[in-house]
Amino acid sequence: MFDFDATLPLMALQFLLLAAVLNVIFYKPLTKVLDDRDNYIRTNNLEARERLAKAEQLTKEYEQQLAEARRQSQNVIAQAQTEAQKITAEKIAEAQKEAQAQREQVAQEIEQQKQEALSSLEQQVDAFSRQILEKLLGPSLVK
């Protein structure tokens, strides 16, 4: 069935020569390209993970800074509200004191005017009483 003459070794030699040529021309460059691509992907993947980790770390830092800034702003707002309440209370107390002082001053003025009016009325009553007495008794008896 098989003829083992010189063609079999020649065919085997051709096959080995073709395999060596294909290995040098096609498989090694293809393998090199695949290895380079694999290294490139691995390197990019590693760099991406490092960047992602760094971005997550920066995000955490910024969130902490933001939380701290919020706490500080809340403290500032609370202090400002407390100070505003103190100022408001002081102004109200001051206004009440001024109002009380004005009431007292007005009461004194009213009392003074009342005294003046009473004094004036007494003088007028005295003058009218004399006039009445003079008319009733005569001017010579009244003095």
Side-chain angles (χ1 to χ4, degrees):
M1 221 180 205
F2 289 109
D3 193 15
F4 291 106
D5 56 0
T7 57
L8 181 64
L10 185 61
M11 289 295 278
L13 184 64
Q14 283 180 349
F15 178 75
L16 290 176
L17 185 62
L18 178 66
V21 169
L22 283 176
N23 190 27
V24 170
I25 294 175
F26 182 70
Y27 294 124
K28 280 189 180 180
L30 184 62
T31 306
K32 184 177 184 261
V33 167
L34 290 175
D35 288 342
D36 289 346
R37 184 170 184 225
D38 188 42
N39 287 336
Y40 175 76
I41 290 171
R42 217 177 291 129
T43 305
N44 282 344
N45 194 4
L46 185 61
E47 287 177 1
R49 286 182 187 162
E50 289 174 358
R51 288 179 186 158
L52 181 61
K54 190 174 183 179
E56 288 174 353
Q57 181 183 4
L58 287 174
T59 302
K60 287 180 184 177
E61 289 176 11
Y62 289 144
E63 287 175 354
Q64 290 173 352
Q65 290 175 357
L66 181 62
E68 181 63 27
R70 284 184 181 159
R71 280 192 293 272
Q72 288 176 354
S73 67
Q74 290 297 329
N75 289 339
V76 168
I77 289 170
Q79 288 175 354
Q81 287 176 342
T82 303
E83 188 174 326
Q85 288 175 350
K86 283 181 183 178
I87 291 172
T88 302
E90 290 173 1
K91 294 290 183 181
I92 289 172
E94 189 177 308
Q96 287 175 344
K97 286 180 184 178
E98 287 179 14
Q100 183 64 30
Q102 286 178 354
R103 276 184 275 188
E104 290 173 2
Q105 183 181 2
V106 167
Q108 287 177 356
E109 288 176 4
I110 289 173
E111 186 62 32
Q112 184 182 4
Q113 289 175 358
K114 179 181 170 184
Q115 293 299 327
E116 289 174 2
L118 284 175
S119 174
S120 173
L121 278 175
E122 284 178 11
Q123 290 174 1
Q124 288 178 358
V125 166
D126 286 343
F128 287 140
S129 296
R130 271 194 199 153
Q131 286 177 358
I132 292 172
L133 283 174
E134 283 178 3
K135 287 187 182 182
L136 289 177
L137 299 176
S140 60
L141 291 174
V142 176
K143 290 187 185 183

